[in-house]
Amino acid sequence: MPIKVQSDLPAKEILENENIFVMDENRAMHQDIRPLQVCILNLMPVKQDTELQLLRALSNTPLQVDVTFLMVTSHVSLNTSANHLNRFYTTFAQIKNKRFDGLIITGAPVEDIAFEEVDYWQEVCAIMDWAEEHVTSTLHICWGAQAGFYHYYGIQKRMLSEKLFGIYSHKVQNRKVPLVRGFDDYFLAPHSRHTETSAADIHNCDRITVLAESGEAGVFLAYAENGRKVFVNGHPEYDRYTLDVEYKRDLGKGLPIHIPRNYYPDDDPAQKPNLQWRAHCNNLYTNWLNYYVYQATPYEW
């Protein structure tokens, strides 16, 4: 898939070096098609890493995607420069009168804070409410999924006794749903979180359909309103070394952390981690874009 981004976005050169087709504005203007308009509300602290991971995940269909990066204004980012945000990000006030084919709401490092105490909670709620009328399908990731479960259905998150951290196996449910088309019966995906939305609470909500679940990590994938809302309780977009960086960061800070489950060969952090989830990540994003964005969105809003 050609991903359309600004020509000077740092992720563009990295993706091109990975042989991923990235298109700048000039070339896109000469293609006589309507690209999918996808907005990414990036709440992660190191925004460049998440940009790269999500753009890579969106790059595997023939569809052209025009990406808009969105930031909150009710929080000052300490890990991404103001220059980067000013050059590549927009605000909700600037796009609230526009319509988008897809919206991605990322995770955020605020799990141990009550939703209402997060400084940008009201802004995120306003964006989720806006998406009901202005977006064809919204993909909620990790904390973004927990926020969606709470905001839409009143399902509260809860603290875990220890960090859920590593690569976990999940079983596909409801195989006839297009979102899991092409998935194996069991597949692996990364998790990195201190909280969870109870699997029982999700199953007890008749407005939500569970599509993949783990005995260890709980519900991984669910959807509602025939795919207008999609919830991913993990990080399939993570690259090979993301958990490695998190593990060594927490060790360096003296935080309680165990070796990521099923990640390093022989549980040896000196060894190169195995990349075991990329194919299903690509499949998930391709299915979302094709069946719930491209096939469902009108040609003209």
Side-chain angles (χ1 to χ4, degrees):
M1 172 195 306
I3 300 291
K4 179 189 167 190
V5 296
Q6 290 174 246
S7 57
D8 52 349
L9 182 74
K12 180 174 181 289
E13 181 178 358
I14 299 172
L15 291 168
E16 288 175 334
N17 289 334
E18 295 179 8
N19 201 29
I20 290 174
F21 185 11
V22 183
M23 182 182 300
D24 63 24
E25 305 97 323
N26 292 330
R27 181 167 182 181
M29 287 174 61
H30 294 87
Q31 293 202 332
D32 189 21
I33 61 173
R34 181 177 91 67
L36 294 177
Q37 301 291 327
V38 174
C39 183
I40 299 176
L41 175 58
N42 190 352
L43 302 172
M44 294 294 276
V46 184
K47 301 197 183 301
Q48 295 95 324
D49 290 350
T50 303
E51 292 161 12
L52 179 62
Q53 292 164 4
L54 289 176
L55 290 175
R56 186 188 287 122
L58 292 170
S59 68
N60 289 284
T61 79
L63 307 169
Q64 185 188 127
V65 177
D66 187 350
V67 174
T68 297
F69 289 108
L70 180 64
M71 65 180 181
V72 291
T73 57
S74 42
H75 176 80
V76 177
S77 178
L78 301 178
N79 297 283
T80 303
S81 72
N83 178 59
H84 184 87
L85 294 173
N86 291 334
R87 289 175 65 188
F88 303 115
Y89 280 72
T90 189
T91 66
F92 181 49
Q94 293 171 309
I95 59 109
K96 65 180 182 180
N97 294 322
K98 297 182 179 180
R99 295 182 182 273
F100 288 85
D101 303 303
L103 169 67
I104 297 174
I105 301 176
T106 73
V110 291
E111 299 171 74
D112 56 345
I113 305 174
F115 289 118
E116 291 84 358
E117 295 178 8
V118 175
D119 54 5
Y120 47 79
W121 175 245
Q122 292 303 319
E123 189 172 359
V124 171
C125 288
I127 292 169
M128 288 192 285
D129 290 339
W130 162 84
E132 298 266 41
E133 300 295 331
H134 291 81
V135 177
T136 300
S137 179
T138 301
L139 179 66
H140 301 254
I141 303 172
C142 203
W143 183 86
Q146 294 179 350
F149 285 135
Y150 181 63
H151 180 65
Y152 296 127
Y153 313 110
I155 305 175
Q156 183 60 270
K157 62 184 170 71
R158 64 187 184 189
M159 292 296 299
L160 296 168
S161 58
E162 66 173 3
K163 186 176 184 179
L164 185 71
F165 190 47
I167 311 300
Y168 295 86
S169 177
H170 309 82
K171 184 178 182 180
V172 171
Q173 317 286 339
N174 294 287
R175 176 166 289 285
K176 293 183 180 180
V177 175
L179 194 59
V180 292
R181 187 166 290 168
F183 276 54
D184 296 329
D185 288 342
Y186 290 87
F187 65 94
L188 299 173
H191 289 263
S192 176
R193 50 189 165 86
H194 294 275
T195 57
E196 70 171 359
T197 304
S198 163
D201 289 345
I202 296 172
H203 280 287
N204 287 336
C205 181
D206 59 10
R207 297 165 64 189
I208 302 170
T209 300
V210 174
L211 300 177
E213 189 168 6
S214 165
E216 294 179 273
V219 172
F220 172 76
L221 181 64
Y223 84 150
E225 298 177 32
N226 293 317
R228 292 209 64 230
K229 298 181 177 72
V230 176
F231 306 95
V232 181
N233 278 323
H235 285 286
E237 78 283 357
Y238 271 6
D239 62 32
R240 182 191 302 271
Y241 287 102
T242 306
L243 294 181
D244 177 70
V245 170
E246 290 186 15
Y247 173 62
K248 292 172 181 175
R249 177 201 65 197
D250 288 358
L251 276 182
K253 292 181 177 180
L255 298 175
I257 186 67
H258 58 75
I259 291 176
R261 312 278 191 217
N262 310 311
Y263 181 56
Y264 299 113
D266 302 320
D267 282 340
D268 180 3
Q271 295 196 48
K272 180 180 179 180
N274 291 319
L275 184 58
Q276 309 171 77
W277 59 92
R278 176 65 56 77
H280 279 88
C281 169
N282 291 341
N283 200 7
L284 172 61
Y285 278 85
T286 296
N287 287 347
W288 175 65
L289 279 174
N290 183 29
Y291 298 115
Y292 302 95
V293 181
Y294 176 67
Q295 301 289 347
T297 196
Y299 185 82
E300 293 184 3
W301 270 103

